[in-house]
Amino acid sequence: MSAKQLEQTTKATKTAFVFPGQGSQKVGMLAELAEQFSGIRETFAEASKAVGFDLWQIAQNGEELNQTEFTQPVLLTASIALWRVWLEIGGVVPKYLAGHSLGEYSALVASGALTLGDAVKLVNLRGKLMQNAVPQGQGAMAAILGLDDVKVLELCAQVNTQGLGSVDAANYNANGQVVIAGDKASVEAVMNTAKEVGGKAINLPVSVPSHCALMKPAAEQFAMALEETAIELPGVPVIQNVNAEIASDVTQLRTALTEQLYQSVQWTKTMEFLQNEGIEYIVECGPGNVLANLAKRLPKIEKALPLDSKSRLDDALNAILVAEGRIA
């Protein structure tokens, strides 16, 4: 649906859709659903034509799947394929959309703000620029668990004065769960200090350190591509990563997408926004259930439901239709 068509659609009152980012990819994603819904392969064919390589083959065979320039368009396409299936089977249009990092582009496509073809080209370029911004092996990301946000920021600030490079808070995923990113030595220093003060630190297997100062050169180049891409205001409100707010015009949208490359993902604030707006049901539209699992911890969320198998799709459809009063 276009943004205008979505604007005119009767929307859910208690439901939000969230779209995952890198790390949710898995070999063979959506294969089961593709046997039952022809639209999944059709969506992958449409996106593959836009970028010039076979996204379905990468998703199913796994070759190059973890190279960020391929991961990003594959994941986005998988999320939009699921979104289209949801609408096809009579799923309600949610009240809000949000996406984690890369997932923000999926949310914008679902909202009608971007076409699928333009979005996959953008995220393919985004992946290349991110990969080229930091030489392989020089950057790192890690999850810091069990410490509050202020403490993690304090540890990053301490390390940033030691001449090891830079490290930033990249993703505020939940209370007590912050992902850091930056130069490898700096990230390792924060990990060690976090353990000393009672936290846990887990190294993340990623090829680029996202959402940190090292991505500023990539953002400057990416801004030019965004300027040349047609973008509309979303037909369903999309909550932005960088500020957990809704853009009032297209200029703000472009600015937020540029800044997203080197600023933190404000996922904790995004979830607070949704709960304050009366959202009680979160549906994760993409491979896996990472975001659904995070949402299950939230006090005002009744259910958090993934969609990436036939049984999960059926369960989510029934639960949301009942919750929204569409069926008894």
Side-chain angles (χ1 to χ4, degrees), residues 3-27:
K4 192 158 192 171
Q5 288 172 319
L6 284 164
E7 270 183 2
Q8 296 166 346
T9 303
T10 302
K11 298 180 183 63
T13 59
K14 304 175 184 176
T15 304
F17 265 50
V18 295
F19 298 83
Q22 281 186 244
S24 291
Q25 70 272 14
K26 55 186 176 183
V27 178

Side-chain angles (χ1 to χ4, degrees), residues 152-194:
V152 175
L153 285 173
E154 181 185 308
L155 297 181
C156 290
Q158 289 173 2
V159 169
N160 283 334
T161 64
Q162 295 172 9
L164 300 171
S166 68
V167 58
D168 300 296
N171 305 334
Y172 295 98
N173 286 335
N175 291 327
Q177 185 183 131
V178 180
V179 173
I180 60 170
D183 291 289
K184 188 175 181 181
S186 298
V187 169
E188 290 174 348
V190 172
M191 291 174 69
N192 291 334
T193 310

Side-chain angles (χ1 to χ4, degrees), residues 294-307:
L294 285 174
K296 285 176 182 177
R297 307 177 187 179
L298 302 172
K300 297 180 183 178
I301 300 302
E302 290 287 331
K303 286 186 179 180
L305 304 153
L307 294 182

Side-chain angles (χ1 to χ4, degrees), residues 18-22 24 75 79 99-100 102-104 106 284-287 291:
V18 295
F19 298 83
Q22 281 186 244
S24 291
L75 266 177
S79 290
H100 191 287
L102 163 71
E104 187 167 355
S106 305
E284 181 169 3
C285 191
L291 299 180

Side-chain angles (χ1 to χ4, degrees), residues 43-58 64 68-77 115-128:
T43 299
F44 269 86
E46 178 187 340
S48 296
K49 185 177 180 181
V51 290
F53 48 87
D54 192 335
L55 294 167
W56 182 254
Q57 183 177 352
I58 293 171
E64 303 175 317
T68 188
E69 66 185 272
F70 301 115
T71 311
Q72 295 195 31
V74 168
L75 266 177
L76 184 150
T77 303
T115 67
L116 175 60
D118 283 345
V120 289
K121 286 188 280 189
L122 277 175
V123 301
N124 177 227
L125 173 63
R126 182 177 181 265
K128 289 177 182 176

Side-chain angles (χ1 to χ4, degrees), residues 304-322:
L305 304 153
L307 294 182
D308 63 340
S309 70
K310 184 61 167 62
S311 60
R312 285 176 164 180
L313 182 65
D314 290 342
D315 289 347
L317 180 65
N318 185 67
I320 298 305
L321 289 176
V322 170

Side-chain angles (χ1 to χ4, degrees), residues 5-327:
Q5 288 172 319
L6 284 164
E7 270 183 2
Q8 296 166 346
T9 303
T10 302
K11 298 180 183 63
T13 59
K14 304 175 184 176
T15 304
F17 265 50
V18 295
F19 298 83
Q22 281 186 244
S24 291
Q25 70 272 14
K26 55 186 176 183
V27 178
M29 65 180 86
L30 305 193
E32 175 205 357
L33 285 167
E35 294 177 3
Q36 299 171 66
F37 298 102
S38 60
I40 288 181
R41 292 294 300 272
E42 290 166 5
T43 299
F44 269 86
E46 178 187 340
S48 296
K49 185 177 180 181
V51 290
F53 48 87
D54 192 335
L55 294 167
W56 182 254
Q57 183 177 352
I58 293 171
Q60 301 310 305
N61 297 340
E63 291 180 25
E64 303 175 317
L65 181 58
N66 291 322
Q67 293 180 34
T68 188
E69 66 185 272
F70 301 115
T71 311
Q72 295 195 31
V74 168
L75 266 177
L76 184 150
T77 303
S79 290
I80 296 307
L82 279 174
W83 168 254
R84 290 176 174 178
V85 168
W86 174 262
L87 296 179
E88 176 190 334
I89 63 176
V92 298
V93 176
K95 185 177 180 181
Y96 291 104
L97 303 172
H100 191 287
S101 188
L102 163 71
E104 187 167 355
Y105 291 84
S106 305
L108 289 168
V109 176
S111 76
L114 278 170
T115 67
L116 175 60
D118 283 345
V120 289
K121 286 188 280 189
L122 277 175
V123 301
N124 177 227
L125 173 63
R126 182 177 181 265
K128 289 177 182 176
L129 293 173
M130 290 169 70
Q131 193 71 66
N132 293 338
V134 181
Q136 189 76 28
Q138 290 189 19
M141 297 184 78
I144 307 299
L145 310 176
L147 301 178
D148 63 34
D149 297 353
V150 173
K151 187 62 180 177
V152 175
L153 285 173
E154 181 185 308
L155 297 181
C156 290
Q158 289 173 2
V159 169
N160 283 334
T161 64
Q162 295 172 9
L164 300 171
S166 68
V167 58
D168 300 296
N171 305 334
Y172 295 98
N173 286 335
N175 291 327
Q177 185 183 131
V178 180
V179 173
I180 60 170
D183 291 289
K184 188 175 181 181
S186 298
V187 169
E188 290 174 348
V190 172
M191 291 174 69
N192 291 334
T193 310
K195 293 173 186 174
E196 290 171 4
V197 297
K200 294 182 180 179
I202 303 170
N203 188 56
L204 300 179
V206 296
S207 59
V208 293
S210 306
H211 309 294
C212 68
L214 298 180
M215 289 295 121
K216 280 192 175 180
E220 291 170 5
Q221 296 177 68
F222 189 61
M224 293 186 283
L226 281 170
E227 282 299 324
E228 296 170 358
T229 302
I231 303 178
E232 297 181 35
L233 272 179
V236 177
V238 175
I239 305 162
Q240 299 171 126
N241 278 190
V242 295
N243 53 21
E245 296 175 359
I246 295 165
S248 59
D249 57 47
V250 171
T251 299
Q252 287 183 8
L253 267 179
R254 286 194 172 97
T255 299
L257 290 174
T258 302
E259 292 177 348
Q260 190 220 54
L261 275 170
Y262 61 87
Q263 289 192 13
S264 308
V265 173
Q266 299 289 344
W267 197 249
T268 306
K269 289 183 178 178
T270 297
M271 293 297 103
E272 288 172 359
F273 177 100
L274 291 176
Q275 290 179 96
N276 290 339
E277 289 292 308
I279 294 300
E280 299 176 14
Y281 298 86
I282 298 284
V283 178
E284 181 169 3
C285 191
N289 58 356
V290 172
L291 299 180
N293 284 342
L294 285 174
K296 285 176 182 177
R297 307 177 187 179
L298 302 172
K300 297 180 183 178
I301 300 302
E302 290 287 331
K303 286 186 179 180
L305 304 153
L307 294 182
D308 63 340
S309 70
K310 184 61 167 62
S311 60
R312 285 176 164 180
L313 182 65
D314 290 342
D315 289 347
L317 180 65
N318 185 67
I320 298 305
L321 289 176
V322 170
E324 294 291 345
R326 307 299 170 92
I327 61 174

